[in-house]
Amino acid sequence: MIGKLEVVADDTALAQAAAERFIAAASGAIGERGRFNVALAGGSTPKAMYALLRESPLRERVDWEKVSFYFGDERCVMPDHPDSNYGMAHQNLFEPLELTEEWVYRMRGEMDPVDAAGEYEDLIKKMLGPSPAFDLILLGMGPDGHTASLFPGTLDQIQGDWLVASIYNQKLNSHRITLTPRTINAARSILVVAGGANKAEALAHVLTGPREPDLYPAQLLHPEHGTLTWLVDRAAAKGLAE
Ligand code: 6PG
Protein backbone atom coordinates (compact mmCIF):
# COMPACT_ATOMS: atom_id res chain seq x y z
CA MET A 1 0.00 0.00 0.00
CA ILE A 2 1.23 3.47 -0.90
CA GLY A 3 0.90 5.95 1.94
CA LYS A 4 -0.22 5.76 5.54
CA LEU A 5 -3.66 4.54 6.61
CA GLU A 6 -5.40 6.11 9.60
CA VAL A 7 -8.71 4.58 10.64
CA VAL A 8 -10.98 6.48 13.02
CA ALA A 9 -14.26 5.40 14.57
CA ASP A 10 -16.90 7.39 12.70
CA ASP A 11 -17.76 10.55 10.76
CA THR A 12 -17.38 12.80 13.79
CA ALA A 13 -13.88 11.49 14.48
CA LEU A 14 -13.11 11.77 10.75
CA ALA A 15 -13.93 15.47 10.68
CA GLN A 16 -11.96 16.09 13.87
CA ALA A 17 -8.89 14.23 12.60
CA ALA A 18 -9.04 16.00 9.23
CA ALA A 19 -9.31 19.39 10.94
CA GLU A 20 -6.34 18.61 13.19
CA ARG A 21 -4.27 17.59 10.16
CA PHE A 22 -5.27 20.79 8.35
CA ILE A 23 -4.13 22.86 11.35
CA ALA A 24 -0.84 20.94 11.66
CA ALA A 25 -0.08 21.39 7.95
CA ALA A 26 -0.95 25.08 8.13
CA SER A 27 1.22 25.68 11.20
CA GLY A 28 4.14 23.86 9.61
CA ALA A 29 3.94 25.68 6.28
CA ILE A 30 3.41 29.13 7.81
CA GLY A 31 6.20 28.52 10.32
CA GLU A 32 8.66 27.39 7.64
CA ARG A 33 7.66 29.49 4.62
CA GLY A 34 5.28 32.16 5.88
CA ARG A 35 2.27 30.91 3.93
CA PHE A 36 0.07 27.80 3.63
CA ASN A 37 -0.92 26.86 0.09
CA VAL A 38 -3.75 24.35 0.29
CA ALA A 39 -5.94 22.83 -2.42
CA LEU A 40 -9.39 21.99 -1.09
CA ALA A 41 -11.34 18.87 -1.95
CA GLY A 42 -14.70 18.96 -3.60
CA GLY A 43 -17.76 16.94 -2.70
CA SER A 44 -19.52 16.93 0.65
CA THR A 45 -17.00 15.28 3.00
CA PRO A 46 -15.08 18.51 3.76
CA LYS A 47 -18.24 20.20 5.13
CA ALA A 48 -17.93 18.63 8.61
CA MET A 49 -14.25 19.60 8.78
CA TYR A 50 -15.10 23.19 7.79
CA ALA A 51 -17.76 23.32 10.51
CA LEU A 52 -15.03 22.63 13.09
CA LEU A 53 -12.38 24.93 11.59
CA ARG A 54 -14.66 27.97 11.41
CA GLU A 55 -15.54 27.87 15.13
CA SER A 56 -13.59 28.18 18.37
CA PRO A 57 -11.39 26.59 19.55
CA LEU A 58 -9.98 25.44 16.21
CA ARG A 59 -10.59 28.75 14.41
CA GLU A 60 -8.00 30.51 16.51
CA ARG A 61 -5.35 27.89 15.79
CA VAL A 62 -4.90 28.97 12.16
CA ASP A 63 -3.44 32.28 10.94
CA TRP A 64 -6.10 32.57 8.23
CA GLU A 65 -4.57 35.62 6.55
CA LYS A 66 -1.55 33.44 5.70
CA VAL A 67 -3.60 30.72 4.02
CA SER A 68 -3.96 30.66 0.22
CA PHE A 69 -6.90 28.53 -0.88
CA TYR A 70 -6.86 26.67 -4.18
CA PHE A 71 -9.07 23.83 -5.42
CA GLY A 72 -8.33 20.27 -6.48
CA ASP A 73 -11.20 20.27 -8.92
CA GLU A 74 -14.37 22.07 -9.90
CA ARG A 75 -17.61 21.38 -11.61
CA CYS A 76 -18.35 23.41 -14.74
CA VAL A 77 -21.03 25.56 -13.17
CA MET A 78 -21.38 29.13 -11.90
CA PRO A 79 -19.67 29.78 -8.54
CA ASP A 80 -23.04 30.25 -6.83
CA HIS A 81 -24.46 27.00 -8.26
CA PRO A 82 -25.34 24.36 -5.60
CA ASP A 83 -22.85 21.95 -7.25
CA SER A 84 -19.90 24.37 -7.13
CA ASN A 85 -17.00 23.18 -4.98
CA TYR A 86 -15.95 26.81 -4.56
CA GLY A 87 -19.53 27.66 -3.59
CA MET A 88 -19.52 24.99 -0.88
CA ALA A 89 -16.23 26.26 0.57
CA HIS A 90 -17.40 29.88 0.35
CA GLN A 91 -20.62 29.11 2.20
CA ASN A 92 -19.14 26.77 4.81
CA LEU A 93 -15.70 28.23 5.43
CA PHE A 94 -14.71 31.51 3.76
CA GLU A 95 -17.89 33.44 4.63
CA PRO A 96 -18.12 32.26 8.27
CA LEU A 97 -14.40 33.13 8.67
CA GLU A 98 -15.13 36.55 7.14
CA LEU A 99 -12.19 36.12 4.74
CA THR A 100 -11.68 38.88 2.15
CA GLU A 101 -11.12 36.10 -0.41
CA GLU A 102 -8.03 37.99 -1.59
CA TRP A 103 -6.23 34.66 -1.08
CA VAL A 104 -8.90 32.43 -2.60
CA TYR A 105 -8.16 31.16 -6.11
CA ARG A 106 -11.12 29.36 -7.63
CA MET A 107 -11.25 27.41 -10.89
CA ARG A 108 -13.64 29.36 -13.11
CA GLY A 109 -16.18 26.66 -13.83
CA GLU A 110 -18.38 29.12 -15.64
CA MET A 111 -15.82 29.41 -18.45
CA ASP A 112 -15.14 27.10 -21.36
CA PRO A 113 -13.55 24.07 -19.59
CA VAL A 114 -10.40 23.99 -21.72
CA ASP A 115 -9.87 27.74 -21.23
CA ALA A 116 -10.56 27.44 -17.50
CA ALA A 117 -8.02 24.63 -17.13
CA GLY A 118 -5.39 26.62 -19.02
CA GLU A 119 -6.12 29.72 -16.96
CA TYR A 120 -5.75 27.77 -13.70
CA GLU A 121 -2.54 26.15 -14.86
CA ASP A 122 -1.11 29.62 -15.60
CA LEU A 123 -2.32 30.82 -12.20
CA ILE A 124 -0.70 28.06 -10.13
CA LYS A 125 2.54 28.44 -12.08
CA LYS A 126 2.46 32.20 -11.43
CA MET A 127 1.72 31.78 -7.73
CA LEU A 128 3.72 28.64 -6.92
CA GLY A 129 6.38 28.47 -9.64
CA PRO A 130 6.86 26.29 -12.75
CA SER A 131 6.62 23.08 -10.70
CA PRO A 132 3.90 23.94 -8.21
CA ALA A 133 4.13 22.07 -4.90
CA PHE A 134 1.10 22.63 -2.69
CA ASP A 135 1.72 22.30 1.04
CA LEU A 136 -1.44 20.21 1.34
CA ILE A 137 -3.85 18.76 -1.19
CA LEU A 138 -7.10 17.60 0.40
CA LEU A 139 -8.92 14.96 -1.61
CA GLY A 140 -12.02 12.85 -1.33
CA MET A 141 -12.69 9.54 -3.02
CA GLY A 142 -15.83 8.43 -4.77
CA PRO A 143 -17.45 4.98 -4.47
CA ASP A 144 -16.00 4.26 -7.93
CA GLY A 145 -12.45 5.01 -6.84
CA HIS A 146 -12.22 8.45 -8.46
CA THR A 147 -10.43 11.29 -6.76
CA ALA A 148 -10.52 15.00 -7.59
CA SER A 149 -12.15 14.79 -11.03
CA LEU A 150 -9.98 11.91 -12.20
CA PHE A 151 -12.73 9.47 -13.07
CA PRO A 152 -12.50 5.88 -14.33
CA GLY A 153 -12.04 5.80 -18.09
CA THR A 154 -11.12 9.48 -18.40
CA LEU A 155 -7.36 9.43 -17.84
CA ASP A 156 -6.67 9.29 -21.59
CA GLN A 157 -7.92 12.89 -21.73
CA ILE A 158 -4.86 14.06 -19.78
CA GLN A 159 -1.47 14.82 -21.37
CA GLY A 160 1.56 13.92 -19.25
CA ASP A 161 2.91 17.45 -18.86
CA TRP A 162 -0.39 19.10 -17.93
CA LEU A 163 -0.80 20.51 -14.43
CA VAL A 164 -4.52 21.15 -14.79
CA ALA A 165 -6.93 19.38 -17.15
CA SER A 166 -10.52 19.62 -18.30
CA ILE A 167 -12.24 16.25 -18.26
CA TYR A 168 -15.47 15.17 -19.91
CA ASN A 169 -17.24 12.52 -17.80
CA GLN A 170 -19.60 10.67 -20.16
CA LYS A 171 -21.39 8.89 -17.29
CA LEU A 172 -22.23 12.19 -15.61
CA ASN A 173 -22.54 13.96 -18.96
CA SER A 174 -20.56 16.77 -17.46
CA HIS A 175 -17.26 18.59 -17.83
CA ARG A 176 -14.92 19.06 -14.90
CA ILE A 177 -11.68 20.93 -14.23
CA THR A 178 -9.08 19.06 -12.19
CA LEU A 179 -5.51 19.10 -10.97
CA THR A 180 -3.65 16.31 -12.74
CA PRO A 181 -1.83 13.44 -11.00
CA ARG A 182 1.42 15.24 -11.82
CA THR A 183 0.39 18.26 -9.74
CA ILE A 184 -1.22 16.24 -6.95
CA ASN A 185 1.84 14.00 -6.55
CA ALA A 186 4.15 17.03 -6.35
CA ALA A 187 2.46 18.14 -3.11
CA ARG A 188 4.28 18.15 0.22
CA SER A 189 1.31 16.38 1.73
CA ILE A 190 -1.73 14.61 0.26
CA LEU A 191 -4.63 13.85 2.59
CA VAL A 192 -7.47 11.67 1.31
CA VAL A 193 -10.50 11.80 3.61
CA ALA A 194 -13.12 9.11 2.96
CA GLY A 195 -15.96 7.93 5.16
CA GLY A 196 -18.94 5.67 4.92
CA ALA A 197 -19.71 2.11 3.90
CA ASN A 198 -20.26 3.14 0.29
CA LYS A 199 -16.52 3.81 -0.04
CA ALA A 200 -15.42 0.44 1.40
CA GLU A 201 -15.26 -1.60 -1.80
CA ALA A 202 -13.36 1.03 -3.76
CA LEU A 203 -10.99 1.72 -0.88
CA ALA A 204 -10.12 -1.94 -0.51
CA HIS A 205 -9.42 -2.19 -4.22
CA VAL A 206 -7.44 1.05 -4.34
CA LEU A 207 -5.26 0.13 -1.38
CA THR A 208 -4.91 -3.64 -1.71
CA GLY A 209 -6.25 -4.65 -5.12
CA PRO A 210 -4.43 -5.10 -8.42
CA ARG A 211 -3.00 -1.92 -9.88
CA GLU A 212 -5.50 -0.70 -12.45
CA PRO A 213 -5.51 3.10 -12.18
CA ASP A 214 -7.68 3.61 -15.21
CA LEU A 215 -10.46 1.83 -13.33
CA TYR A 216 -9.43 3.15 -9.90
CA PRO A 217 -7.79 6.57 -10.46
CA ALA A 218 -7.14 7.03 -6.73
CA GLN A 219 -4.36 4.48 -7.30
CA LEU A 220 -2.49 7.24 -9.12
CA LEU A 221 -1.81 8.95 -5.78
CA HIS A 222 1.91 8.44 -5.25
CA PRO A 223 3.71 11.50 -3.90
CA GLU A 224 7.16 12.12 -5.36
CA HIS A 225 8.70 13.54 -2.21
CA GLY A 226 5.79 14.26 0.12
CA THR A 227 3.44 12.23 2.29
CA LEU A 228 0.15 10.48 1.49
CA THR A 229 -2.36 9.74 4.22
CA TRP A 230 -5.63 7.86 3.82
CA LEU A 231 -7.84 9.11 6.64
CA VAL A 232 -10.93 6.89 6.77
CA ASP A 233 -13.61 5.78 9.20
CA ARG A 234 -14.31 2.20 10.24
CA ALA A 235 -17.22 1.86 7.80
CA ALA A 236 -15.01 2.79 4.84
CA ALA A 237 -12.22 0.52 6.10
CA LYS A 238 -14.53 -2.52 6.30
CA GLY A 239 -13.04 -4.14 3.24
CA LEU A 240 -9.50 -3.94 4.57
CA ALA A 241 -7.86 -6.73 6.56
CA GLU A 242 -8.09 -6.04 10.29
C1 6PG B 1 -15.98 16.37 -6.54
C2 6PG B 1 -14.82 15.88 -5.78
C3 6PG B 1 -14.79 14.40 -5.70
C4 6PG B 1 -15.20 14.07 -4.28
C5 6PG B 1 -15.56 12.62 -4.15
C6 6PG B 1 -16.11 12.34 -2.76
O1 6PG B 1 -15.89 17.46 -7.10
O2 6PG B 1 -17.00 15.68 -6.48
O3 6PG B 1 -13.70 16.44 -5.89
O4 6PG B 1 -13.54 13.82 -5.99
O5 6PG B 1 -14.12 14.39 -3.40
O6 6PG B 1 -16.54 12.34 -5.12
O7 6PG B 1 -17.30 13.07 -2.63
P1 6PG B 1 -18.08 13.10 -1.22
O8 6PG B 1 -17.18 13.79 -0.25
O9 6PG B 1 -19.33 13.89 -1.49
O10 6PG B 1 -18.33 11.66 -0.85
Side-chain angles (χ1 to χ4, degrees):
M1 183 184 88
I2 297 168
K4 179 170 162 279
L5 176 68
E6 182 178 346
V7 183
V8 295
D10 53 27
D11 54 357
T12 305
L14 195 66
Q16 185 68 39
E20 288 291 348
R21 283 180 174 275
F22 181 99
I23 292 167
S27 305
I30 292 167
E32 287 167 31
R33 292 177 294 280
R35 181 150 287 278
F36 179 45
N37 296 306
V38 58
L40 300 179
S44 57
T45 300
K47 265 186 192 168
M49 177 183 84
Y50 296 162
L52 295 173
L53 288 171
R54 66 185 183 226
E55 304 292 342
S56 292
L58 299 191
R59 178 183 184 133
E60 291 76 22
R61 291 174 51 195
V62 178
D63 187 349
W64 294 104
E65 285 309 306
K66 293 186 179 158
V67 181
S68 294
F69 293 95
Y70 298 82
F71 288 83
D73 68 325
E74 186 55 279
R75 290 80 180 279
C76 291
V77 294
M78 294 300 286
D80 58 357
H81 188 283
D83 288 350
S84 167
N85 288 333
Y86 159 79
M88 191 278 271
H90 171 80
Q91 194 178 351
N92 290 279
L93 188 64
F94 306 150
E95 205 167 36
L97 285 173
E98 297 169 332
L99 292 183
T100 61
E101 299 214 9
E102 174 191 358
W103 301 106
V104 175
Y105 305 97
R106 68 179 183 87
M107 295 171 167
R108 293 207 294 165
E110 67 274 24
M111 283 173 69
D112 167 83
V114 173
D115 294 346
E119 178 187 75
Y120 209 71
E121 177 151 335
D122 291 345
L123 172 83
I124 63 175
K125 281 179 180 171
K126 178 178 150 228
M127 300 306 292
L128 304 176
S131 302
F134 288 93
D135 295 307
L136 174 65
I137 294 187
L138 284 160
L139 294 169
M141 190 192 72
D144 60 356
H146 82 259
T147 191
S149 282
L150 305 168
F151 290 95
T154 66
L155 301 181
D156 58 348
Q157 298 178 43
I158 300 176
Q159 307 268 336
D161 59 343
W162 291 355
L163 302 180
V164 183
S166 70
I167 295 273
Y168 176 67
N169 182 325
Q170 198 145 22
K171 213 168 153 188
L172 298 174
N173 185 26
S174 73
H175 291 271
R176 296 281 191 95
I177 304 153
T178 185
L179 296 183
T180 61
R182 177 188 172 129
T183 305
I184 295 169
N185 287 327
R188 290 186 176 84
S189 182
I190 304 169
L191 176 63
V192 183
V193 184
N198 69 328
K199 309 287 174 81
E201 187 187 343
L203 188 70
H205 196 109
V206 166
L207 296 186
T208 62
R211 183 163 170 71
E212 18 188 30
D214 198 50
L215 290 177
Y216 291 89
Q219 288 185 328
L220 290 170
L221 301 180
H222 191 164
E224 285 163 54
H225 309 293
T227 62
L228 168 60
T229 304
W230 302 86
L231 176 60
V232 303
D233 64 12
R234 278 210 197 102
K238 203 147 177 56
L240 300 174
E242 290 291 325

Short mmCIF file of all heavy atoms in Angstrom, two decimals, residues 18-30 36 61-62:
data_model
loop_
_atom_site.label_atom_id
_atom_site.label_comp_id
_atom_site.label_asym_id
_atom_site.label_seq_id
_atom_site.Cartn_x
_atom_site.Cartn_y
_atom_site.Cartn_z
N ALA A 18 -9.36 15.23 10.45
CA ALA A 18 -9.04 16.00 9.23
C ALA A 18 -8.74 17.45 9.59
O ALA A 18 -7.77 18.04 9.10
CB ALA A 18 -10.20 15.93 8.24
N ALA A 19 -9.52 18.01 10.50
CA ALA A 19 -9.31 19.39 10.94
C ALA A 19 -7.97 19.53 11.64
O ALA A 19 -7.21 20.48 11.39
CB ALA A 19 -10.43 19.83 11.87
N GLU A 20 -7.64 18.56 12.47
CA GLU A 20 -6.34 18.61 13.19
C GLU A 20 -5.18 18.53 12.19
O GLU A 20 -4.16 19.21 12.33
CB GLU A 20 -6.25 17.47 14.20
CG GLU A 20 -7.13 17.63 15.41
CD GLU A 20 -6.69 18.78 16.35
OE1 GLU A 20 -5.56 19.30 16.17
OE2 GLU A 20 -7.48 19.15 17.23
N ARG A 21 -5.33 17.71 11.17
CA ARG A 21 -4.27 17.59 10.16
C ARG A 21 -4.14 18.88 9.35
O ARG A 21 -3.04 19.28 8.97
CB ARG A 21 -4.52 16.38 9.27
CG ARG A 21 -4.15 15.07 9.96
CD ARG A 21 -4.39 13.86 9.09
NE ARG A 21 -3.88 12.66 9.74
CZ ARG A 21 -2.63 12.24 9.68
NH1 ARG A 21 -1.74 12.95 9.00
NH2 ARG A 21 -2.22 11.14 10.30
N PHE A 22 -5.28 19.51 9.06
CA PHE A 22 -5.27 20.79 8.35
C PHE A 22 -4.47 21.81 9.18
O PHE A 22 -3.56 22.48 8.67
CB PHE A 22 -6.70 21.28 8.13
CG PHE A 22 -6.81 22.58 7.38
CD1 PHE A 22 -7.10 22.60 6.02
CD2 PHE A 22 -6.65 23.79 8.03
CE1 PHE A 22 -7.21 23.81 5.32
CE2 PHE A 22 -6.75 25.01 7.34
CZ PHE A 22 -7.04 25.00 5.98
N ILE A 23 -4.78 21.88 10.47
CA ILE A 23 -4.13 22.86 11.35
C ILE A 23 -2.64 22.57 11.45
O ILE A 23 -1.80 23.48 11.35
CB ILE A 23 -4.78 22.82 12.75
CG1 ILE A 23 -6.21 23.37 12.68
CG2 ILE A 23 -3.95 23.58 13.78
CD1 ILE A 23 -7.05 23.10 13.92
N ALA A 24 -2.27 21.30 11.56
CA ALA A 24 -0.84 20.94 11.66
C ALA A 24 -0.11 21.32 10.38
O ALA A 24 0.99 21.89 10.41
CB ALA A 24 -0.71 19.44 11.92
N ALA A 25 -0.73 21.05 9.24
CA ALA A 25 -0.08 21.39 7.95
C ALA A 25 0.05 22.90 7.80
O ALA A 25 1.09 23.42 7.37
CB ALA A 25 -0.89 20.81 6.80
N ALA A 26 -0.98 23.62 8.23
CA ALA A 26 -0.95 25.08 8.13
C ALA A 26 0.15 25.65 9.03
O ALA A 26 0.96 26.49 8.61
CB ALA A 26 -2.31 25.66 8.53
N SER A 27 0.20 25.17 10.27
CA SER A 27 1.22 25.68 11.20
C SER A 27 2.63 25.42 10.67
O SER A 27 3.49 26.29 10.70
CB SER A 27 1.06 25.00 12.57
OG SER A 27 -0.26 25.18 13.04
N GLY A 28 2.82 24.22 10.13
CA GLY A 28 4.14 23.86 9.61
C GLY A 28 4.54 24.75 8.44
O GLY A 28 5.64 25.31 8.41
N ALA A 29 3.62 24.90 7.49
CA ALA A 29 3.94 25.68 6.28
C ALA A 29 4.17 27.15 6.62
O ALA A 29 5.13 27.78 6.14
CB ALA A 29 2.81 25.54 5.27
N ILE A 30 3.28 27.70 7.46
CA ILE A 30 3.41 29.13 7.81
C ILE A 30 4.69 29.34 8.63
O ILE A 30 5.44 30.29 8.40
CB ILE A 30 2.15 29.60 8.57
CG1 ILE A 30 0.94 29.59 7.62
CG2 ILE A 30 2.36 30.97 9.20
CD1 ILE A 30 -0.41 29.73 8.32
N PHE A 36 0.61 29.16 3.78
CA PHE A 36 0.07 27.80 3.63
C PHE A 36 -0.74 27.74 2.34
O PHE A 36 -1.77 28.42 2.23
CB PHE A 36 -0.81 27.47 4.85
CG PHE A 36 -1.46 26.12 4.82
CD1 PHE A 36 -0.75 24.97 4.46
CD2 PHE A 36 -2.80 25.98 5.18
CE1 PHE A 36 -1.34 23.71 4.46
CE2 PHE A 36 -3.40 24.72 5.19
CZ PHE A 36 -2.67 23.60 4.83
N ARG A 61 -6.64 28.58 15.92
CA ARG A 61 -5.35 27.89 15.79
C ARG A 61 -4.75 28.02 14.39
O ARG A 61 -3.71 27.46 14.10
CB ARG A 61 -5.51 26.42 16.19
CG ARG A 61 -5.77 26.26 17.70
CD ARG A 61 -6.09 24.81 18.10
NE ARG A 61 -5.11 23.86 17.60
CZ ARG A 61 -5.34 22.54 17.59
NH1 ARG A 61 -6.53 22.07 17.96
NH2 ARG A 61 -4.42 21.70 17.14
N VAL A 62 -5.44 28.75 13.50
CA VAL A 62 -4.90 28.97 12.16
C VAL A 62 -4.77 30.47 11.90
O VAL A 62 -5.69 31.23 12.22
CB VAL A 62 -5.83 28.35 11.09
CG1 VAL A 62 -5.29 28.61 9.68
CG2 VAL A 62 -6.01 26.85 11.30
#
